[in-house]
Amino acid sequence: MPIIDQFNRPLRDLRISLIDRCNFRCPYCMPSEKYHHAYEFLDKKQWLNFEEIERLARVFVGLGVAKLRLTGGEPLLRPDLDQLIRQLSVIPGVEDLALTTNGSMLVQWAQRLKAAGLHRLTVSLDTLDEAIFHQMSGEKGSVKDVLEGIRAAEEAGFDSIKINAVIQRGINEHTILDLVKHFRGTAHSVRFIEYMDVGNQNHWINTQVVPSQKIISLINAAFPLEHIKGTQEGDTSEIYRFKDGQGEVGFISSVTKAFCGTCSRLRLSADGKMYTCLFATHGMDLGSHLREGASDELLADLVRVTWLKREDRYSEIRSELRPNSRALPKVEMYHIGG
């Protein structure tokens, strides 16, 4: 039986951050003025090693988790990542093993990821416009590298890739249809994400949000859509398909249409802290307990008690909290993935 939180939400998904570093400096996640060359990230000894990650994953799966997603930072920066995927892919009860990446290193990694047993890939790609992409990646990436990575992933056997695009008003909203046209007719699905107030560094204001409904209307005017799936089953995105059968698009509407009511996700940082929400302020330090000799039973009890007490619904009450947000610092997204 799954464990249920205070709002009757079962624990089903675990997002595991493998590293607190990234080769991009996207302003909405790791702005370069904060995360510069002298910034002190975690010491590598603080990262959970693969055996520790596997052990915790088994504990979580024993509590009802069926989906694992590997994140960062940029997870492909973690050496020998394919070995961890081999370890996680054989855990009984794991139904889905996915990874989110900025795609810049997929050319080197795609074959190894598939051979190791990774099920699915999500690639971040906010625009196809090179100049805007350069701006949104903190002048660190290129569209060419990401598209070549997606092609390499296709050749490796990843036949249905999710493409995540964060849309910011005045930055990349005018390039939305470019992404739609590029991936329409393929097995891949673009998911448009409302710009969110993750972490404490991106100076978020509501006027920078492009509501999903506006994006849906824009796409529908060019390529008629029909709604096929909502967020009722714990998914983060609402799915629409093109009426002419040329594929699907998704919309993640954390700001204008919050889906806290069905959220079934826990997040584990690279140093073993467990967070019950993307916008959490504090985390449970499972890594320290593990390294101090805690048994699997004790670790499971810590997870169980934390989830049973869980009341997080930040996106649903954002408007009430925003005036006091400075008093409630949130964990940075690069620590726990998106």
Side-chain angles (χ1 to χ4, degrees):
M1 290 289 293
I3 52 176
I4 304 297
D5 74 2
Q6 293 293 302
F7 289 97
N8 203 36
R9 298 170 295 193
L11 173 59
R12 293 292 191 193
D13 307 78
L14 177 65
R15 301 193 172 192
I16 305 170
S17 177
L18 304 180
I19 190 169
D20 64 327
R21 307 175 191 195
C22 186
N23 55 334
F24 284 9
R25 287 295 180 269
C26 302
Y28 58 74
C29 180
M30 294 182 71
S32 57
E33 63 268 22
K34 170 73 173 180
Y35 303 101
H36 45 71
H37 70 281
Y39 183 82
E40 292 188 12
F41 290 97
L42 293 172
D43 186 283
K44 293 179 181 179
K45 293 179 181 178
Q46 294 175 272
W47 299 344
L48 295 178
N49 63 40
F50 290 170
E51 287 68 33
E52 291 169 332
I53 293 172
E54 179 190 351
R55 183 179 167 197
L56 287 175
R58 289 181 180 274
V59 168
F60 281 105
V61 171
L63 293 170
V65 165
K67 297 181 179 181
L68 302 178
R69 176 172 292 277
L70 305 179
T71 67
E74 172 47 53
L76 299 187
L77 289 173
R78 186 74 187 253
D80 303 314
L81 171 59
D82 48 330
Q83 177 55 46
L84 174 63
I85 291 170
R86 289 189 184 91
Q87 293 172 224
L88 297 178
S89 65
V90 297
I91 296 176
V94 174
E95 299 173 4
D96 186 47
L97 178 57
L99 179 142
T100 298
T101 173
N102 63 32
S104 64
M105 294 179 285
L106 266 179
V107 169
Q108 303 98 290
W109 272 102
Q111 288 285 354
R112 292 168 64 183
L113 296 175
K114 190 65 177 179
L118 186 70
H119 299 158
R120 295 189 299 111
L121 273 172
T122 296
V123 177
S124 298
L125 180 60
D126 296 330
T127 181
L128 294 176
D129 184 293
E130 278 286 7
I132 298 173
F133 184 93
H134 199 56
Q135 173 188 352
M136 296 188 73
S137 66
E139 302 183 352
K140 298 291 184 181
S142 79
V143 173
K144 178 176 176 291
D145 288 345
V146 178
L147 292 180
E148 287 180 354
I150 291 171
R151 282 192 290 271
E154 291 170 340
E155 292 170 1
F158 292 103
D159 53 8
S160 182
I161 299 169
K162 291 179 180 176
I163 313 297
N164 279 355
V166 174
I167 304 302
Q168 286 183 258
R169 187 183 303 279
I171 304 294
N172 64 333
E173 62 180 316
H174 62 289
T175 69
I176 288 170
L177 286 181
D178 294 338
L179 280 167
V180 173
K181 292 172 184 176
H182 186 87
F183 291 103
R184 216 176 85 87
T186 73
H188 311 319
S189 173
V190 182
R191 300 192 303 179
F192 293 100
I193 303 173
E194 291 180 342
Y195 177 49
M196 293 180 286
D197 51 334
V198 291
N200 312 283
Q201 306 299 327
N202 67 4
H203 310 296
W204 182 91
I205 55 174
N206 191 61
T207 55
Q208 294 176 313
V209 177
V210 181
S212 289
Q213 193 56 55
K214 180 178 179 181
I215 302 174
I216 293 168
S217 296
L218 174 70
I219 298 171
N220 185 64
F223 306 104
L225 298 170
E226 58 184 350
H227 184 268
I228 60 170
K229 190 173 185 293
T231 58
Q232 291 83 359
E233 302 301 319
D235 292 331
T236 58
S237 56
E238 289 196 271
I239 306 299
Y240 287 71
R241 65 185 170 204
F242 297 109
K243 288 185 177 180
D244 62 3
Q246 293 300 299
E248 300 176 354
V249 286
F251 303 90
I252 299 178
S253 313
S254 175
V255 179
T256 64
K257 195 175 181 181
F259 41 83
C260 301
T262 59
C263 179
S264 59
R265 289 171 293 285
L266 274 177
R267 291 171 166 84
L268 189 67
S269 67
D271 57 347
K273 293 184 177 65
M274 178 181 68
Y275 295 89
T276 56
C277 180
L278 177 61
F279 305 96
T281 299
H282 303 291
M284 162 67 72
D285 193 354
L286 292 180
S288 291
H289 285 284
L290 187 154
R291 291 184 175 181
E292 289 168 2
S295 65
D296 287 355
E297 291 74 18
L298 175 56
L299 293 170
D301 282 344
L302 291 170
V303 176
R304 184 182 295 107
V305 169
T306 300
W307 188 266
L308 290 172
K309 293 179 178 179
R310 178 181 185 245
E311 295 180 320
D312 301 275
R313 56 189 191 96
Y314 176 88
S315 290
E316 289 183 346
I317 58 176
R318 175 183 279 106
S319 60
E320 301 169 30
L321 294 175
R322 285 302 297 176
N324 301 311
S325 61
R326 291 185 182 277
L328 293 170
K330 303 186 292 294
V331 62
E332 298 297 343
M333 186 167 65
Y334 74 91
H335 272 294
I336 56 172

